[in-house]
Amino acid sequence: MRDTEERVAAPGDGEASTTSEFALPQGLTVPRTESESETTSEFALPDGLDVPQAPAAEPEGSAFSTPRGYSAPHAQSAFTPPAGVAAVNLVKDAPWQDRMRTMLRMPVAERPAPETPQRHDDETGPAVPRVLDLTLRIGELLLAGGEGAEDVEAAMFAVCRSYGLDRCEPNVTFTLLSISHQPSLVEDPVTASRTVRRRGTDYTRLAAVFQLVDDLSDPDTQISLEEAYRRLAEIRRNRHPYPTWVLTSASGLLAGAASLLVGGDLIVFVAALIGAMLGDRLAWYCAGRGLPEFYQFAVAAMPPAAIGIALTLAHVDVKASAVITGGLFALLPGRALVAGVQDGLTGFYITAAARLLEVLYFFVSIVAGVLVVLYFGVQLGAKLNPDTALGTGGQPVVAIIASMLLSLAFAILLQQERSTVLAVTLNGGVAWCVYGAMHYAGDISPVASTAAAAGLVGLFGQLMSRYRFASALPYTTAAIGPLLPGSATYFGLLAIAQSEVDRGLVSLSKAVALAMAIAIGVNLGSEISRLFLRMPGGASAAGRRAAKRTRGF
């Protein structure tokens, strides 16, 4: 009894060491079985089955890393030609417009590296958003001034590359400009855009912007970003070179010269001059009241037509049709028409469609204004003959002088630089000489004669723009003034007013054909000059590529 108590109270044993009655006795070994809480899934692998471990995942590589399984000896030869990739060498002394246009027509991967960028006080260069903002501001002035979409993109691209920004993609539409810059394939692009809400015709400002872009593109002329902003602000603040009264007088001179061009005399000249000046003042009044341009054109077309009707009702022995035709010459949107067709021929179809739609609206407004006056004139008993033939085939000297006066007045209305007025005046006289020699002396169709004369105008304008490193618009737009289809438009409207719709539509279709001949001729003349003159990269494989595909598939 005592021995048992001593064993229970052995050293190291206490109340805490007392085990449960369910505990296994000491020395008894029982194989362990899995309990319900340790039950595995039915998808678990059985014990003893060896499964090979998957290799560790490779770290994500760069876009420029060599693909897995690539072997240089067994590489496909289709990616790189055996002779290598032809280097693109741009002619340094070529106009910047041609160099930038050449690179824009290349794929991004084939464009050469940027030229020496402009120097700055900061070694890191200017901030990318500021360069893009300057580029958009310059493009806005060019597009608002009537420049073609391709030339605007070339100017924007030149500004970006002058500050060392490669991989830039400008995009120009009728009212929106955008540009995107992506430093590399693994970095986020920076994109900016700007909307053109107001348009104005000022070729002096346009020439100043082109001079700024030319200075930025010249590696010998270093212009900082702040200096470029300062010059751009001065261009915006500059006033127009001609005051308002000069513009009104030029509008009257243009109409008077156009009336002489279609066979009018001194009385017709004065009547057309007064009518165009009254229409110009009414249009200015409507513009000050905030009316859209559609109504401005309609109001401006009424006074010349009303004066022509009044002379007819007063039985004055003059060509009233010449008065109305002269007033139409001052309103026809030749500048917008040429720009629209040029954008279409160079592949900018959205911008071309918008420009041509704008021309259509202006044309409809002129038609509405003239038709209202002609309708009331016919109701009052005015005798206007739509079969009357206008022209100065028997007075070539008067026609040449009138064409030069018309181009001079047109140049003033476009706010051109005084240094370019003489050149464009001579260009307009030469264009009319070519048209008269082909149509009156050679008895060639007026459409073909107009296209040939307009092609000569475009060729001369492109040569002058290359000589002065400026835009070609100041040398071409005013020179096509004598070729505008004013008489065909008037006779078409007169026939419609006299309920001869078929004859009127035929005459209006002739006017449209003449307008298209002018636009295509100007563009073709410009392209011919680029075709035969030395082009940047012409000896390389890239060369000067077409803007779009050359086949219909």
Side-chain angles (χ1 to χ4, degrees):
M1 186 75 176
R2 183 177 299 174
D3 293 338
T4 304
E5 293 177 357
E6 290 179 355
R7 281 196 302 269
V8 173
D13 294 339
E15 295 180 358
S17 62
T18 303
T19 61
S20 172
E21 59 181 348
F22 298 101
L24 294 175
Q26 295 182 357
L28 180 62
T29 303
V30 180
R32 183 180 178 183
T33 59
E34 295 180 355
S35 60
E36 294 182 0
S37 60
E38 297 179 353
T39 304
T40 60
S41 170
E42 57 182 350
F43 300 101
L45 296 175
D47 294 336
L49 179 62
D50 295 333
V51 179
Q53 298 293 328
E58 298 181 359
E60 183 178 358
S62 171
F64 302 98
S65 60
T66 305
R68 292 181 57 189
Y70 176 81
S71 177
H74 301 88
Q76 298 290 335
S77 59
F79 296 99
T80 302
V85 179
V88 180
N89 298 320
L90 298 178
V91 181
K92 298 299 182 182
D93 57 350
W96 62 266
Q97 297 98 318
D98 289 341
R99 290 187 285 116
M100 296 302 107
R101 187 181 293 107
T102 301
M103 283 187 286
L104 281 174
R105 293 178 178 182
M106 295 180 188
V108 178
E110 298 181 10
R111 293 175 184 171
E115 293 131 357
T116 304
Q118 301 284 340
R119 291 194 298 267
H120 310 278
D121 297 333
D122 188 5
E123 295 181 357
T124 60
V128 173
R130 294 196 65 196
V131 176
L132 298 184
D133 178 72
L134 175 66
T135 303
L136 290 174
R137 291 176 183 271
I138 290 177
E140 178 189 9
L141 286 180
L142 294 177
L143 187 63
E147 192 63 69
E150 187 178 33
D151 292 329
V152 175
E153 283 195 358
M156 295 172 63
F157 194 70
V159 174
C160 287
R161 288 182 67 89
S162 64
Y163 287 104
L165 298 187
D166 196 12
R167 303 181 66 87
C168 290
E169 287 296 335
N171 187 20
V172 176
T173 57
F174 185 60
T175 58
L176 181 65
L177 300 107
S178 63
I179 187 167
S180 177
H181 167 65
Q182 187 173 11
S184 65
L185 294 177
V186 296
E187 296 184 53
D188 296 332
V190 180
T191 303
S193 62
R194 194 174 184 89
T195 303
V196 180
R197 302 189 183 276
R198 186 176 181 181
R199 300 177 183 274
T201 303
D202 189 344
Y203 282 1
T204 300
R205 179 179 296 174
L206 190 70
V209 176
F210 261 80
Q211 183 61 45
L212 174 59
V213 178
D214 182 60
D215 293 340
L216 290 174
S217 303
D218 188 3
D220 299 330
T221 304
Q222 303 297 332
I223 301 177
S224 63
L225 190 63
E226 289 72 17
E227 178 68 15
Y229 266 107
R230 186 189 63 80
R231 289 182 56 178
L232 189 62
E234 290 180 354
I235 294 173
R236 285 180 174 273
R237 288 195 300 265
N238 281 347
R239 295 182 178 180
H240 299 305
Y242 307 104
T244 304
W245 66 269
V246 174
L247 298 179
T248 303
S249 302
S251 178
L253 179 62
L254 191 153
S259 65
L260 293 178
L261 199 62
V262 294
D265 53 9
L266 183 59
I267 299 178
V268 171
F269 175 85
V270 175
L273 185 144
I274 295 174
M277 292 177 65
L278 288 176
D280 182 75
R281 286 292 85 199
L282 288 176
W284 277 99
Y285 178 80
C286 294
R289 296 292 180 178
L291 289 179
E293 287 184 318
F294 181 88
Y295 303 104
Q296 296 176 27
F297 273 79
V299 170
M302 290 182 178
I307 292 178
I309 295 295
L311 291 176
T312 302
L313 293 176
H315 302 288
V316 179
D317 189 14
V318 294
K319 291 183 178 180
S321 300
V323 178
I324 303 175
T325 301
L328 291 176
F329 265 86
L331 298 175
L332 294 178
R335 173 182 57 88
L337 175 66
V338 172
V341 175
Q342 180 181 359
D343 288 341
L345 294 177
T346 53
F348 294 84
Y349 301 115
I350 297 178
T351 307
R355 289 186 189 272
L356 294 178
L357 185 61
E358 180 187 35
V359 172
L360 179 61
Y361 270 100
F362 290 161
F363 191 78
V364 170
S365 66
I366 296 171
V367 168
V370 176
L371 275 180
V372 169
V373 178
L374 291 180
Y375 175 78
F376 284 104
V378 172
Q379 296 301 318
L380 292 175
K383 302 299 182 181
L384 298 173
N385 185 9
D387 295 330
T388 303
L390 296 178
T392 57
Q395 298 178 342
V397 178
V398 176
I400 293 174
I401 296 175
S403 64
M404 295 178 67
L405 288 177
L406 194 152
S407 299
L408 173 64
F410 206 169
I412 295 175
L413 288 175
L414 293 174
Q415 303 278 2
Q416 292 191 195
E417 292 180 296
R418 292 179 174 87
S419 59
T420 64
V421 171
L422 179 59
V424 74
T425 301
L426 295 176
N427 195 12
V430 172
W432 182 259
C433 289
V434 173
Y435 172 80
M438 295 182 63
H439 179 56
Y440 295 111
D443 198 19
I444 302 176
S445 67
V447 176
S449 303
T450 301
L456 186 63
V457 169
L459 177 62
F460 176 78
Q462 192 61 228
L463 293 177
M464 289 299 297
S465 67
R466 286 169 172 269
Y467 174 72
R468 302 192 62 178
F469 290 89
S471 173
L473 288 181
Y475 302 100
T476 57
T477 305
I480 65 173
L483 305 175
L484 292 176
S487 58
T489 304
Y490 162 69
F491 285 124
L493 299 180
L494 179 59
I496 294 176
Q498 294 180 348
S499 301
E500 298 180 1
V501 180
D502 294 339
R503 181 182 298 180
L505 292 179
V506 170
S507 184
L508 289 179
S509 63
K510 178 182 177 182
V512 173
L514 291 173
M516 294 296 293
I518 292 173
I520 295 175
V522 170
N523 181 264
L524 183 60
S526 302
E527 293 297 329
I528 288 176
S529 66
R530 298 192 186 105
L531 181 64
F532 290 100
L533 295 179
R534 184 172 61 172
M535 290 300 303
S540 63
R544 181 178 182 271
R545 300 185 178 183
K548 296 293 180 182
R549 60 181 183 270
T550 55
R551 294 177 177 84
F553 52 85

